[in-house]
Amino acid sequence: MTDTVALRAEKREPQDPALAPPPDKGPSIGRIVGLDAARAVAVFGMYYSHVGPWSDETGTWKSFLMDLPHGRSSALFATLAGLSLVLIAGGSEPKTGRPLRQAVVKIAIRAVLLLALGTWLTSTGTSIVVILAFYGLYFLLALPFIRLRARTLAILAAAFGLGGPILVQLMWTATWTEGFDKHDPLVQWGGDGLLSLLLMGTYPAMAWMAYILTGMALGRLDFARKAVRVRLAVIGPALGLLGYGGAWLCGKLVREPAAAADDEAYAAFDKAWSAAVGSADTDTWTEEQWKAFDEEHASLWDKLPAGDVAGTGSGVDWAGLTAAYPHSGTPFELAGNIGVAISVIVGLVALLGHCGAVSKWSRRVLAPLIAVGSMSLTVYVAHIAGVWFLVDHPANGVGYETGWRMWAVFCVAAMLFALIWKRLLKRGPLEWALTLATRPAKFVK
Protein backbone atom coordinates (compact mmCIF):
# COMPACT_ATOMS: atom_id res chain seq x y z
CA MET A 1 0.00 0.00 0.00
CA THR A 2 1.38 3.43 -0.96
CA ASP A 3 2.14 5.85 1.86
CA THR A 4 0.60 9.06 0.49
CA VAL A 5 1.74 11.12 3.48
CA ALA A 6 5.37 10.15 2.86
CA LEU A 7 5.05 10.95 -0.85
CA ARG A 8 3.67 14.41 -0.08
CA ALA A 9 6.52 15.01 2.33
CA GLU A 10 9.06 14.11 -0.36
CA LYS A 11 7.45 16.42 -2.94
CA ARG A 12 7.06 19.39 -0.60
CA GLU A 13 9.75 22.07 -1.07
CA PRO A 14 11.67 23.13 2.05
CA GLN A 15 10.67 26.53 3.45
CA ASP A 16 14.27 27.79 3.41
CA PRO A 17 16.31 26.36 0.52
CA ALA A 18 19.51 27.84 1.96
CA LEU A 19 19.10 25.72 5.10
CA ALA A 20 17.79 22.59 3.41
CA PRO A 21 19.94 19.42 3.40
CA PRO A 22 22.53 19.50 0.61
CA PRO A 23 22.06 17.20 -2.34
CA ASP A 24 23.81 13.87 -2.23
CA LYS A 25 26.77 14.68 -4.47
CA GLY A 26 30.42 15.55 -4.26
CA PRO A 27 31.81 19.06 -4.37
CA SER A 28 30.96 20.84 -7.59
CA ILE A 29 33.63 21.81 -10.08
CA GLY A 30 32.57 25.42 -9.56
CA ARG A 31 33.44 25.36 -5.89
CA ILE A 32 36.80 23.66 -6.49
CA VAL A 33 38.05 25.96 -9.23
CA GLY A 34 36.37 29.00 -7.67
CA LEU A 35 38.24 28.52 -4.41
CA ASP A 36 41.48 27.90 -6.32
CA ALA A 37 41.01 31.13 -8.25
CA ALA A 38 40.31 33.00 -5.01
CA ARG A 39 43.52 31.60 -3.50
CA ALA A 40 45.45 32.85 -6.52
CA VAL A 41 43.94 36.31 -6.09
CA ALA A 42 45.09 36.25 -2.45
CA VAL A 43 48.59 35.08 -3.42
CA PHE A 44 49.01 37.73 -6.11
CA GLY A 45 47.73 40.34 -3.66
CA MET A 46 50.42 39.32 -1.18
CA TYR A 47 52.99 39.43 -3.99
CA TYR A 48 51.88 43.01 -4.60
CA SER A 49 52.17 43.88 -0.91
CA HIS A 50 55.74 42.56 -0.78
CA VAL A 51 57.29 43.49 -4.13
CA GLY A 52 54.76 45.84 -5.77
CA PRO A 53 54.80 49.64 -5.91
CA TRP A 54 53.70 52.03 -3.20
CA SER A 55 51.72 55.16 -3.88
CA ASP A 56 53.57 58.47 -3.55
CA GLU A 57 50.40 60.27 -2.54
CA THR A 58 47.49 59.81 -0.14
CA GLY A 59 43.81 60.59 -0.28
CA THR A 60 43.43 60.07 -4.04
CA TRP A 61 41.74 57.39 -6.12
CA LYS A 62 45.15 56.27 -7.38
CA SER A 63 46.49 55.76 -3.86
CA PHE A 64 43.24 54.04 -2.84
CA LEU A 65 43.49 51.53 -5.69
CA MET A 66 47.18 50.90 -5.05
CA ASP A 67 46.49 50.24 -1.37
CA LEU A 68 43.67 47.75 -2.01
CA PRO A 69 45.79 44.57 -1.83
CA HIS A 70 47.43 45.54 1.46
CA GLY A 71 45.83 43.68 4.36
CA ARG A 72 42.91 42.39 2.30
CA SER A 73 44.89 39.74 0.41
CA SER A 74 46.23 38.10 3.60
CA ALA A 75 42.74 38.30 5.11
CA LEU A 76 41.32 36.54 2.04
CA PHE A 77 44.03 33.89 2.35
CA ALA A 78 43.15 33.32 6.02
CA THR A 79 39.42 33.08 5.27
CA LEU A 80 40.12 30.50 2.57
CA ALA A 81 42.30 28.58 5.03
CA GLY A 82 39.40 28.31 7.46
CA LEU A 83 37.12 27.18 4.64
CA SER A 84 39.62 24.47 3.67
CA LEU A 85 39.72 23.15 7.24
CA VAL A 86 35.99 22.49 7.21
CA LEU A 87 36.17 20.87 3.77
CA ILE A 88 38.71 18.41 5.20
CA ALA A 89 36.21 17.68 7.98
CA GLY A 90 33.31 17.06 5.58
CA GLY A 91 32.11 20.48 4.42
CA SER A 92 28.33 20.89 4.53
CA GLU A 93 28.02 17.26 5.72
CA PRO A 94 30.29 17.06 8.80
CA LYS A 95 32.15 13.82 9.31
CA THR A 96 31.61 11.79 12.46
CA GLY A 97 33.31 8.94 14.23
CA ARG A 98 36.54 7.58 12.79
CA PRO A 99 36.53 9.77 9.64
CA LEU A 100 36.26 12.87 11.84
CA ARG A 101 39.11 11.73 14.08
CA GLN A 102 41.24 11.12 11.00
CA ALA A 103 40.42 14.59 9.68
CA VAL A 104 41.37 16.16 13.03
CA VAL A 105 44.73 14.37 12.98
CA LYS A 106 45.33 15.53 9.40
CA ILE A 107 44.67 19.13 10.40
CA ALA A 108 46.90 18.84 13.47
CA ILE A 109 49.77 17.44 11.39
CA ARG A 110 49.37 20.26 8.86
CA ALA A 111 49.35 22.78 11.70
CA VAL A 112 52.61 21.53 13.19
CA LEU A 113 54.31 21.43 9.79
CA LEU A 114 53.17 24.95 8.91
CA LEU A 115 54.35 26.19 12.30
CA ALA A 116 57.77 24.63 11.71
CA LEU A 117 58.01 25.84 8.09
CA GLY A 118 56.95 29.38 8.98
CA THR A 119 59.44 29.53 11.87
CA TRP A 120 62.27 28.36 9.61
CA LEU A 121 61.41 30.87 6.89
CA THR A 122 61.31 33.70 9.43
CA SER A 123 64.69 32.65 10.82
CA THR A 124 66.30 33.10 7.37
CA GLY A 125 66.09 36.86 7.80
CA THR A 126 63.50 37.51 5.11
CA SER A 127 61.98 40.98 5.04
CA ILE A 128 58.52 39.41 4.63
CA VAL A 129 56.42 38.83 7.73
CA VAL A 130 55.77 35.13 7.09
CA ILE A 131 52.19 34.14 7.86
CA LEU A 132 52.65 30.34 7.84
CA ALA A 133 53.58 29.95 11.52
CA PHE A 134 50.50 31.98 12.41
CA TYR A 135 48.46 29.60 10.26
CA GLY A 136 49.81 26.65 12.20
CA LEU A 137 48.49 28.15 15.43
CA TYR A 138 45.18 29.12 13.80
CA PHE A 139 44.64 25.51 12.74
CA LEU A 140 45.27 24.19 16.25
CA LEU A 141 42.94 26.78 17.78
CA ALA A 142 40.25 25.91 15.23
CA LEU A 143 40.11 22.20 16.11
CA PRO A 144 37.59 22.55 18.99
CA PHE A 145 35.18 24.30 16.59
CA ILE A 146 35.50 21.91 13.66
CA ARG A 147 32.00 20.38 13.98
CA LEU A 148 30.01 23.52 14.78
CA ARG A 149 27.21 24.82 12.56
CA ALA A 150 27.64 27.78 10.22
CA ARG A 151 25.56 30.10 12.41
CA THR A 152 27.52 29.26 15.56
CA LEU A 153 30.82 29.72 13.73
CA ALA A 154 29.66 33.11 12.44
CA ILE A 155 28.77 34.21 15.99
CA LEU A 156 32.19 33.11 17.23
CA ALA A 157 33.84 34.99 14.35
CA ALA A 158 32.00 38.15 15.43
CA ALA A 159 33.08 37.60 19.05
CA PHE A 160 36.75 37.28 18.06
CA GLY A 161 36.41 40.25 15.72
CA LEU A 162 35.07 42.48 18.50
CA GLY A 163 37.02 41.22 21.51
CA GLY A 164 40.28 40.17 19.90
CA PRO A 165 41.49 43.67 18.93
CA ILE A 166 40.86 44.96 22.47
CA LEU A 167 42.82 42.08 23.99
CA VAL A 168 45.66 42.66 21.53
CA GLN A 169 45.90 46.36 22.48
CA LEU A 170 45.89 45.52 26.18
CA MET A 171 48.89 43.25 25.60
CA TRP A 172 50.88 46.10 24.01
CA THR A 173 51.30 47.69 27.46
CA ALA A 174 52.17 44.44 29.27
CA THR A 175 55.59 44.47 30.95
CA TRP A 176 56.11 40.73 31.46
CA THR A 177 56.32 39.72 27.82
CA GLU A 178 60.11 40.05 27.46
CA GLY A 179 60.68 37.53 30.24
CA PHE A 180 58.30 35.10 28.58
CA ASP A 181 60.01 35.44 25.20
CA LYS A 182 63.41 34.63 26.72
CA HIS A 183 62.17 31.11 27.46
CA ASP A 184 60.17 30.63 24.25
CA PRO A 185 61.87 28.04 21.99
CA LEU A 186 60.25 29.55 18.90
CA VAL A 187 61.98 32.86 19.63
CA GLN A 188 65.28 31.09 20.28
CA TRP A 189 64.98 29.39 16.89
CA GLY A 190 64.64 32.78 15.22
CA GLY A 191 60.90 32.74 14.58
CA ASP A 192 57.83 34.47 15.99
CA GLY A 193 57.23 33.51 19.60
CA LEU A 194 54.01 32.19 21.03
CA LEU A 195 52.99 35.61 22.35
CA SER A 196 53.63 37.12 18.93
CA LEU A 197 51.57 34.43 17.23
CA LEU A 198 48.74 34.81 19.72
CA LEU A 199 48.56 38.48 20.53
CA MET A 200 51.41 40.76 19.50
CA GLY A 201 52.45 39.92 15.95
CA THR A 202 51.35 41.21 12.57
CA TYR A 203 48.63 38.54 12.33
CA PRO A 204 47.63 37.92 15.99
CA ALA A 205 45.49 34.84 16.37
CA MET A 206 43.12 36.41 18.90
CA ALA A 207 41.93 38.81 16.20
CA TRP A 208 42.63 36.81 13.04
CA MET A 209 40.60 33.84 14.22
CA ALA A 210 37.68 35.98 13.02
CA TYR A 211 38.84 35.25 9.45
CA ILE A 212 39.40 31.54 10.12
CA LEU A 213 36.01 31.08 11.76
CA THR A 214 34.30 33.01 8.97
CA GLY A 215 35.91 30.68 6.44
CA MET A 216 34.80 27.68 8.50
CA ALA A 217 31.23 29.02 8.48
CA LEU A 218 31.42 29.36 4.68
CA GLY A 219 32.68 25.79 4.45
CA ARG A 220 29.53 24.58 6.18
CA LEU A 221 27.36 26.07 3.42
CA ASP A 222 26.43 24.45 0.12
CA PHE A 223 27.56 26.84 -2.61
CA ALA A 224 25.65 24.81 -5.19
CA ARG A 225 22.42 26.32 -3.84
CA LYS A 226 21.49 29.62 -5.46
CA ALA A 227 19.88 30.90 -2.26
CA VAL A 228 23.19 30.51 -0.42
CA ARG A 229 25.11 32.38 -3.11
CA VAL A 230 22.55 35.19 -3.21
CA ARG A 231 22.67 35.63 0.56
CA LEU A 232 26.45 35.73 0.57
CA ALA A 233 26.41 38.19 -2.34
CA VAL A 234 24.42 40.51 -0.07
CA ILE A 235 26.28 39.80 3.18
CA GLY A 236 29.74 40.38 1.67
CA PRO A 237 29.22 43.95 0.41
CA ALA A 238 27.14 44.76 3.50
CA LEU A 239 30.03 43.79 5.79
CA GLY A 240 32.43 45.74 3.61
CA LEU A 241 30.22 48.83 3.89
CA LEU A 242 29.86 48.33 7.65
CA GLY A 243 33.62 48.02 8.11
CA TYR A 244 35.07 50.65 5.81
CA GLY A 245 32.04 52.95 5.86
CA GLY A 246 31.77 52.74 9.63
CA ALA A 247 35.47 53.55 10.01
CA TRP A 248 35.11 56.56 7.69
CA LEU A 249 32.14 57.84 9.66
CA CYS A 250 33.92 57.33 12.98
CA GLY A 251 36.87 59.21 11.55
CA LYS A 252 34.67 62.23 11.00
CA LEU A 253 32.87 61.94 14.34
CA VAL A 254 35.56 60.53 16.66
CA ARG A 255 39.13 60.44 15.40
CA GLU A 256 39.35 63.87 13.76
CA PRO A 257 37.84 65.74 16.77
CA ALA A 258 40.10 63.72 19.11
CA ALA A 259 43.16 64.55 17.00
CA ALA A 260 42.23 68.23 16.98
CA ALA A 261 41.83 68.20 20.77
CA ASP A 262 45.20 66.47 21.16
CA ASP A 263 46.86 69.07 18.93
CA GLU A 264 45.46 71.84 21.11
CA ALA A 265 46.67 70.02 24.24
CA TYR A 266 50.17 69.57 22.81
CA ALA A 267 50.30 73.25 21.80
CA ALA A 268 49.28 74.31 25.32
CA PHE A 269 51.86 71.97 26.82
CA ASP A 270 54.64 73.27 24.57
CA LYS A 271 53.80 76.85 25.53
CA ALA A 272 53.72 76.06 29.26
CA TRP A 273 56.93 74.01 29.00
CA SER A 274 58.80 76.84 27.29
CA ALA A 275 57.63 79.28 29.96
CA ALA A 276 58.66 76.94 32.80
CA VAL A 277 62.10 76.09 31.40
CA GLY A 278 62.93 79.54 30.12
CA SER A 279 66.49 79.87 28.89
CA ALA A 280 67.85 76.96 30.96
CA ASP A 281 69.95 74.31 29.21
CA THR A 282 68.04 71.14 30.16
CA ASP A 283 70.61 68.92 28.43
CA THR A 284 73.02 69.54 31.31
CA TRP A 285 70.51 69.08 34.13
CA THR A 286 71.23 66.45 36.76
CA GLU A 287 68.70 63.96 38.08
CA GLU A 288 68.23 66.15 41.19
CA GLN A 289 67.46 69.19 39.03
CA TRP A 290 64.85 67.26 37.04
CA LYS A 291 63.30 66.01 40.28
CA ALA A 292 63.07 69.54 41.64
CA PHE A 293 61.59 70.76 38.35
CA ASP A 294 58.94 68.03 38.40
CA GLU A 295 57.96 68.92 41.97
CA GLU A 296 57.69 72.60 41.18
CA HIS A 297 55.81 72.17 37.90
CA ALA A 298 53.73 69.05 38.61
CA SER A 299 50.64 70.64 37.07
CA LEU A 300 52.50 70.99 33.78
CA TRP A 301 51.87 67.35 32.88
CA ASP A 302 48.12 67.78 33.26
CA LYS A 303 48.12 69.64 29.96
CA LEU A 304 49.11 66.50 28.03
CA PRO A 305 46.44 64.08 26.70
CA ALA A 306 45.76 61.50 29.41
CA GLY A 307 47.06 58.59 27.36
CA ASP A 308 50.47 60.25 26.98
CA VAL A 309 51.14 60.50 30.71
CA ALA A 310 52.99 57.46 32.06
CA GLY A 311 50.74 55.22 34.09
CA THR A 312 47.49 56.98 33.17
CA GLY A 313 46.66 55.23 29.90
CA SER A 314 44.06 52.47 29.85
CA GLY A 315 46.11 50.33 27.46
CA VAL A 316 43.37 50.58 24.81
CA ASP A 317 43.30 53.26 22.13
CA TRP A 318 39.52 53.42 21.75
CA ALA A 319 39.69 56.06 19.02
CA GLY A 320 42.26 53.98 17.16
CA LEU A 321 39.92 50.97 17.26
CA THR A 322 37.53 52.87 15.00
CA ALA A 323 40.03 52.96 12.10
CA ALA A 324 40.28 50.46 9.25
CA TYR A 325 43.68 50.97 7.62
CA PRO A 326 45.59 47.84 6.47
CA HIS A 327 46.82 45.58 9.28
CA SER A 328 45.33 47.83 11.95
CA GLY A 329 43.53 44.76 13.29
CA THR A 330 40.50 46.77 14.41
CA PRO A 331 36.91 45.47 14.42
CA PHE A 332 36.12 47.76 11.48
CA GLU A 333 39.06 46.50 9.43
CA LEU A 334 38.21 42.88 10.24
CA ALA A 335 34.58 43.40 9.19
CA GLY A 336 35.55 45.17 5.97
CA ASN A 337 38.15 42.56 5.03
CA ILE A 338 35.71 39.73 5.74
CA GLY A 339 33.19 41.43 3.48
CA VAL A 340 35.77 41.62 0.68
CA ALA A 341 36.78 37.98 1.20
CA ILE A 342 33.18 36.74 1.07
CA SER A 343 32.49 38.81 -2.05
CA VAL A 344 35.58 37.48 -3.87
CA ILE A 345 34.86 33.87 -2.92
CA VAL A 346 31.18 33.81 -3.82
CA GLY A 347 31.81 35.85 -6.97
CA LEU A 348 34.46 33.49 -8.33
CA VAL A 349 32.54 30.35 -7.35
CA ALA A 350 29.45 31.70 -9.13
CA LEU A 351 31.41 32.83 -12.18
CA LEU A 352 33.32 29.59 -12.63
CA GLY A 353 30.60 27.13 -11.73
CA HIS A 354 27.09 28.52 -12.04
CA CYS A 355 26.92 30.69 -15.15
CA GLY A 356 26.45 28.01 -17.81
CA ALA A 357 28.51 28.55 -20.95
CA VAL A 358 30.14 31.62 -19.40
CA SER A 359 31.56 29.42 -16.64
CA LYS A 360 33.15 27.02 -19.14
CA TRP A 361 34.68 29.92 -21.04
CA SER A 362 35.87 31.53 -17.79
CA ARG A 363 37.55 28.34 -16.62
CA ARG A 364 39.59 28.26 -19.84
CA VAL A 365 40.56 31.92 -19.61
CA LEU A 366 41.40 31.75 -15.90
CA ALA A 367 43.20 28.40 -16.11
CA PRO A 368 46.57 29.96 -15.11
CA LEU A 369 44.94 31.58 -12.08
CA ILE A 370 43.25 28.32 -11.09
CA ALA A 371 46.54 26.44 -11.44
CA VAL A 372 48.30 28.88 -9.12
CA GLY A 373 45.54 28.56 -6.53
CA SER A 374 45.76 24.77 -6.58
CA MET A 375 49.34 25.01 -5.27
CA SER A 376 49.12 28.23 -3.25
CA LEU A 377 51.51 27.04 -0.52
CA THR A 378 54.22 26.26 -3.07
CA VAL A 379 54.00 29.59 -4.88
CA TYR A 380 53.78 31.49 -1.58
CA VAL A 381 56.98 29.91 -0.26
CA ALA A 382 58.62 30.36 -3.68
CA HIS A 383 58.01 34.11 -3.60
CA ILE A 384 59.59 34.33 -0.13
CA ALA A 385 62.65 32.59 -1.55
CA GLY A 386 62.62 34.94 -4.53
CA VAL A 387 62.48 38.05 -2.34
CA TRP A 388 65.25 36.66 -0.13
CA PHE A 389 67.52 36.08 -3.13
CA LEU A 390 66.68 39.21 -5.17
CA VAL A 391 66.03 41.84 -2.50
CA ASP A 392 67.13 40.77 0.99
CA HIS A 393 70.44 39.00 0.20
CA PRO A 394 71.24 39.69 -3.47
CA ALA A 395 74.37 38.22 -5.01
CA ASN A 396 75.43 41.63 -6.31
CA GLY A 397 75.10 43.20 -2.89
CA VAL A 398 72.71 45.85 -4.22
CA GLY A 399 69.46 44.07 -4.96
CA TYR A 400 66.69 44.65 -7.43
CA GLU A 401 64.16 47.45 -7.31
CA THR A 402 60.64 46.44 -6.36
CA GLY A 403 57.69 47.83 -8.28
CA TRP A 404 55.28 47.01 -11.07
CA ARG A 405 57.90 45.11 -13.09
CA MET A 406 58.98 42.79 -10.28
CA TRP A 407 55.35 42.13 -9.30
CA ALA A 408 54.49 41.23 -12.91
CA VAL A 409 57.52 38.92 -13.17
CA PHE A 410 56.54 37.12 -9.96
CA CYS A 411 52.93 36.66 -11.12
CA VAL A 412 53.82 35.45 -14.62
CA ALA A 413 56.49 33.09 -13.28
CA ALA A 414 54.01 31.60 -10.80
CA MET A 415 51.37 31.03 -13.51
CA LEU A 416 53.83 29.44 -15.94
CA PHE A 417 55.26 27.16 -13.27
CA ALA A 418 51.81 26.15 -11.98
CA LEU A 419 50.46 25.39 -15.48
CA ILE A 420 53.45 23.27 -16.44
CA TRP A 421 53.62 21.44 -13.13
CA LYS A 422 49.88 20.71 -13.11
CA ARG A 423 50.13 19.10 -16.53
CA LEU A 424 52.79 16.75 -15.22
CA LEU A 425 51.60 16.10 -11.65
CA LYS A 426 48.33 16.59 -9.80
CA ARG A 427 49.60 18.51 -6.74
CA GLY A 428 52.21 21.17 -6.19
CA PRO A 429 55.52 20.09 -4.58
CA LEU A 430 54.74 21.31 -1.07
CA GLU A 431 51.10 20.26 -1.33
CA TRP A 432 52.28 16.76 -2.23
CA ALA A 433 54.66 16.76 0.75
CA LEU A 434 51.87 17.84 3.11
CA THR A 435 49.58 15.14 1.77
CA LEU A 436 52.30 12.55 2.25
CA ALA A 437 52.97 13.75 5.79
CA THR A 438 49.30 13.40 6.76
CA ARG A 439 48.98 9.79 5.58
CA PRO A 440 49.53 8.38 9.11
CA ALA A 441 46.11 9.82 9.95
CA LYS A 442 44.50 6.90 8.11
CA PHE A 443 45.69 4.58 10.88
CA VAL A 444 43.66 6.44 13.50
CA LYS A 445 40.92 4.24 14.88
Side-chain angles (χ1 to χ4, degrees), residues 24 37 64 99 101 168 217 301 343 418:
D24 186 15
F64 170 76
R101 291 192 293 272
V168 168
W301 308 107
S343 300

Side-chain angles (χ1 to χ4, degrees), residues 346-362:
V346 70
L348 287 172
V349 169
L351 173 64
L352 296 171
H354 302 282
C355 293
V358 174
S359 293
K360 295 181 181 179
W361 178 82
S362 299

Side-chain angles (χ1 to χ4, degrees), residues 122-190:
T122 300
S123 70
T124 63
T126 175
S127 59
I128 296 173
V129 182
V130 183
I131 200 173
L132 296 183
F134 292 88
Y135 273 16
L137 182 61
Y138 300 161
F139 287 6
L140 292 176
L141 293 176
L143 288 178
F145 312 120
I146 202 69
R147 291 197 68 234
L148 297 181
R149 298 180 303 169
R151 185 172 299 173
T152 306
L153 290 166
I155 293 173
L156 286 171
F160 273 96
L162 292 172
I166 297 174
L167 185 59
V168 168
Q169 284 207 6
L170 285 172
M171 285 298 298
W172 289 351
T173 58
T175 58
W176 53 270
T177 56
E178 291 185 7
F180 186 91
D181 286 342
K182 288 180 180 179
H183 300 89
D184 190 334
L186 294 177
V187 176
Q188 295 173 5
W189 294 335

